[in-house]
Amino acid sequence: EGHRQRVMDIVVSLASIATENAASAEETSASTEEILATVESVKDISHRVSDYSETLNGVVEAFKVK
């Protein structure tokens, strides 16, 4: 009976660890998705800044004296 209880305790412990690991994996996945969304946002803003810079360069060129 003692061995059986020990095995049951180990199984319960392993199940608990597996549950904790699953929760951690979900949190990591959610964090990764947030980071990806932030990177995409930064990329979009970067493209807009680049477009504005090109437009501004064109406007400045129009006012340069040659």
Side-chain angles (χ1 to χ4, degrees):
E1 183 63 33
H3 293 295
R4 182 177 180 194
Q5 186 59 46
R6 176 84 174 120
V7 169
M8 291 299 293
D9 291 345
I10 291 171
V11 168
V12 168
S13 179
L14 290 174
S16 176
I17 292 169
T19 300
E20 290 174 14
N21 283 343
S24 293
E26 285 183 28
E27 289 176 15
T28 300
S29 177
S31 295
T32 301
E33 288 178 16
E34 284 182 37
I35 291 169
L36 180 59
T38 301
V39 168
E40 284 296 320
S41 179
V42 169
K43 183 179 104 177
D44 292 343
I45 292 168
S46 173
H47 284 138
R48 281 190 276 164
V49 168
S50 178
D51 291 344
Y52 294 150
S53 176
E54 288 178 22
T55 300
L56 182 58
N57 280 337
V59 170
V60 168
E61 280 296 317
F63 287 99
K64 280 189 176 177
V65 179
K66 296 184 181 186

